[in-house]
Amino acid sequence: MTPKELLEFAKKNKVEMVDLKFMDMPGLWQHFAMPIGYLREESFEEGFGFDGSSIRGFQAIEESDMLLTPDTKSAFLDPFTQRTQLNLICNIKDPVTLQPYTRDVRYVAQKAENYMKSIGLADTAFIGPEAEFYILDDVRFEQTPNSGFYRVDSVEGFWNSARDEGPNLGYKPRYKEGYFPVPPMDSYQDLRTEMIMVLAQVGIEAEVQHHEVGTAGQSEIDLRFDALLTMADKLIKYKYVIKNLARKYGKTVTFMPKPIFMDNGSGMHCHVSLWKEGKNLFYKPGAYGDISEMALHFIGGLLKHTPSILAFAAPTTNSYRRLVPGYEAPINMIYSQRNRSAAVRIPMYSKSEKSKRVEYRCPDPSCNPYLAFSAMLMAGLDGIQNKIHPGAAADKNLYDLPPEEEAKIPTVAHNLEMALDALKADHEFLTKGGVFTQEMLDAYIELKTEEARRVSTFVSPIEFDLYYSV
């Protein structure tokens, strides 16, 4: 819609408020709202001012003024507000130069798509994320100088199998056995279906929903693939819908990668394919996995740059509680047709051209999708440009390898600090075409380094178990 058409749409739907949304650097939606009368046609050019110094990873206090310019294509009616509200996702500009803000993560995704088109390899990068989450009933946590604890609870949690629930009806998935049980064991079938219906209201098509491996309501709703920037917008809207609908039903949702010890973490496997003029460039029937040489080189780029991609795709200290052996986590920097411990998998559900893609399994849903998707694309494009071959596929059970063979397989980072060090050492592929600027990378690394340092200074309960009596 044009700005004029959007204002007519707002009037037709009796919109009372307009909410301007934008993304901070770590990946949390920010917003402010105003009566709809303040939104005029010229607003889409002139923008709205805000204080950039109060946003994580943005401006210093002496240069705090910034501008938000709404994107008409992003408009949707909020399904949760009491008053009719129009939501608009915004781009960010510098108020002095009126140029796009280099630390605007949405701008990074726009530049990544433009760079891909400019080098002529493809005109569309399709992304299809599988963002997992836990549906919980209660969450409590506290950290003080002399104490610290967290406690999450769920009526589905297997640890509650003996709890007096007046009555306890059983039907609690055992640890690591929550995959695909029917109701009543899966108690969230109706809630996830309601989530799909509300997602459709805001323009997001979901393909499938199901219970995931973890006890305590671990779930997954897969989104139909879309172009990179559009999908990043959709994923943030997806999280907004899932969290708010859960709250409406007295539940709480977390996309935290590893909220429960000794059970599966929540990942976000990303299905990727490159297209040009309506043709899937990753498809070659009869080849290994029915994928083309271009797809192999894309995989080569992903695997080569995975150590630094993880700084964006697995960007929290908690991400590395998930990336450990024994929980179906993609810890091995290899590729395979069917091996789920591989960083890259080639799904074999369908042999059609339309569905052929590669699945990058390292990301988790705590990431900022604008940055993670862009980093993935830039790594893959670098692999294609430099013809980086990923080597032989690993189609064997990696858990049964002899120690000497297992030691030869490269693994992902063990903590966030390792990922940030890798990003410092390997980021030239990200700065091609000015997609990621050095200034933006430095700001991101500084922000995440401080986050990791802060976590490392706190005492944890397990340390009392290990060291109190030494």
Side-chain angles (χ1 to χ4, degrees):
M1 291 184 283
T2 65
K4 182 178 179 180
E5 290 170 336
L6 183 60
L7 292 173
E8 291 172 352
F9 169 83
K11 184 176 180 180
K12 179 181 177 181
N13 287 274
K14 299 181 180 179
V15 170
E16 297 178 80
M17 297 291 291
V18 59
D19 196 73
L20 304 181
K21 291 179 163 61
F22 65 100
M23 182 68 71
D24 69 8
M25 193 177 286
L28 189 65
W29 240 4
Q30 310 288 329
H31 81 122
F32 59 86
M34 65 187 73
I36 189 64
Y38 286 93
L39 185 68
R40 303 178 177 90
E41 284 190 56
E42 56 268 27
S43 303
F44 295 87
E45 283 293 329
E46 296 176 357
F48 296 90
F50 75 100
D51 178 6
S53 67
S54 298
I55 305 301
R56 294 180 299 173
F58 279 16
Q59 297 290 84
I61 195 167
E62 69 273 12
E63 48 184 9
S64 61
D65 290 352
M66 302 298 293
L67 286 176
L68 293 180
T69 55
D71 184 346
T72 60
K73 296 188 296 293
S74 71
F76 68 100
L77 297 178
D78 198 300
F80 302 108
T81 53
Q82 292 183 9
R83 299 282 190 168
T84 306
Q85 177 174 292
L86 178 69
N87 292 331
L88 290 169
I89 301 175
C90 299
N91 296 313
I92 306 173
K93 287 185 178 180
D94 185 294
V96 177
T97 65
L98 297 182
Q99 294 300 305
Y101 182 41
T102 57
R103 297 190 194 182
D104 178 5
V105 296
R106 198 165 187 261
Y107 181 45
V108 172
Q110 291 166 343
K111 289 189 291 182
E113 287 188 320
N114 290 336
Y115 173 74
M116 172 190 64
K117 296 172 185 176
S118 72
I119 60 177
L121 288 177
D123 54 38
T124 309
F126 282 122
I127 311 284
E130 301 175 357
E132 298 168 342
F133 54 93
Y134 274 89
I135 303 172
L136 302 169
D137 291 292
D138 188 59
V139 55
R140 288 176 285 157
F141 50 89
E142 183 181 53
Q143 182 72 61
T144 69
N146 69 317
S147 68
F149 82 97
Y150 73 91
R151 182 180 297 275
V152 298
D153 205 3
S154 166
V155 69
E156 269 200 5
F158 190 66
W159 55 82
N160 285 325
S161 58
R163 184 172 69 175
D164 182 1
E165 295 179 342
N168 189 322
L169 301 179
Y171 299 120
K172 303 180 190 299
R174 290 186 290 269
Y175 298 108
K176 301 175 69 172
E177 294 185 27
Y179 198 62
F180 281 17
V182 299
M185 184 71 80
D186 176 6
S187 65
Y188 292 121
Q189 169 73 9
D190 288 340
L191 178 55
R192 291 194 305 269
T193 295
E194 181 70 11
M195 290 172 175
I196 285 181
M197 298 301 105
V198 177
L199 286 169
Q201 290 179 31
V202 300
I204 300 176
E205 182 181 356
E207 293 185 323
V208 66
Q209 61 98 335
H210 59 84
H211 203 290
E212 256 299 339
V213 174
T215 188
Q218 192 184 32
S219 297
E220 179 179 310
I221 298 176
D222 298 344
L223 304 184
R224 181 169 177 78
F225 64 87
D226 213 328
L228 187 152
L229 175 64
T230 304
M231 180 50 71
D233 286 343
K234 285 185 174 182
L235 184 61
I236 300 305
K237 289 164 65 177
Y238 165 87
K239 295 173 75 171
Y240 180 77
V241 167
I242 299 307
K243 290 178 180 178
N244 278 283
L245 193 61
R247 183 185 178 97
K248 179 180 177 180
Y249 284 88
K251 305 290 182 179
T252 178
V253 156
T254 182
F255 289 92
M256 186 176 175
K258 188 78 169 185
I260 296 174
F261 176 58
M262 293 296 289
D263 212 339
N264 279 34
S266 293
M268 189 180 74
H269 309 151
C270 293
H271 298 258
V272 186
S273 60
L274 298 185
W275 291 61
K276 189 173 185 179
E277 298 176 353
K279 180 178 176 61
N280 186 352
L281 303 178
F282 280 9
Y283 180 63
K284 184 179 180 181
Y288 174 80
D290 292 330
I291 62 170
S292 65
E293 185 177 55
M294 177 183 279
L296 273 177
H297 291 153
F298 191 93
I299 292 171
L302 281 177
L303 293 178
K304 176 183 177 181
H305 298 298
T306 281
S308 54
I309 295 173
L310 287 178
F312 298 109
T316 67
T317 58
N318 187 254
S319 297
Y320 299 88
R321 312 292 191 259
R322 166 186 169 251
L323 293 175
V324 294
Y327 297 92
E328 302 181 39
I331 60 170
N332 299 295
M333 290 196 296
I334 55 173
Y335 74 104
S336 171
Q337 286 187 124
R338 302 169 73 179
N339 199 317
R340 292 178 181 269
S341 66
V344 179
R345 195 172 72 89
I346 305 166
M348 299 301 293
Y349 304 123
S350 172
K351 293 185 176 293
S352 72
E353 176 182 349
K354 186 177 181 180
S355 65
K356 186 50 58 180
R357 72 274 191 192
V358 301
E359 179 188 8
Y360 190 50
R361 297 173 61 82
C362 295
D364 68 56
S366 70
C367 74
N368 184 326
Y370 299 99
L371 299 180
F373 294 169
S374 298
M376 289 159 47
L377 175 62
M378 295 301 288
L381 293 176
D382 184 66
I384 296 170
Q385 290 172 308
N386 292 292
K387 300 188 185 305
I388 301 172
H389 198 282
D395 291 322
K396 60 179 73 174
N397 188 340
L398 300 179
Y399 298 118
D400 292 337
L401 292 179
E404 61 275 11
E405 192 172 343
E406 182 181 8
K408 297 177 182 178
I409 298 177
T411 59
V412 299
H414 303 310
N415 53 54
L416 180 57
E417 292 94 330
M418 287 181 64
L420 293 171
D421 286 342
L423 180 59
K424 292 176 188 176
D426 175 31
H427 58 260
E428 289 80 7
F429 71 100
L430 295 170
T431 58
K432 289 181 180 178
V435 175
F436 287 77
T437 65
Q438 187 63 53
E439 185 266 346
M440 187 270 176
L441 289 170
D442 290 343
Y444 182 85
I445 290 170
E446 180 182 358
L447 185 72
K448 284 294 175 178
T449 299
E450 173 57 26
E451 185 178 306
R453 186 206 63 79
R454 184 182 179 200
V455 172
S456 70
T457 62
F458 282 98
V459 179
S460 64
I462 188 63
E463 291 175 293
F464 279 84
D465 182 53
L466 291 171
Y467 308 129
Y468 184 77
S469 60
V470 298

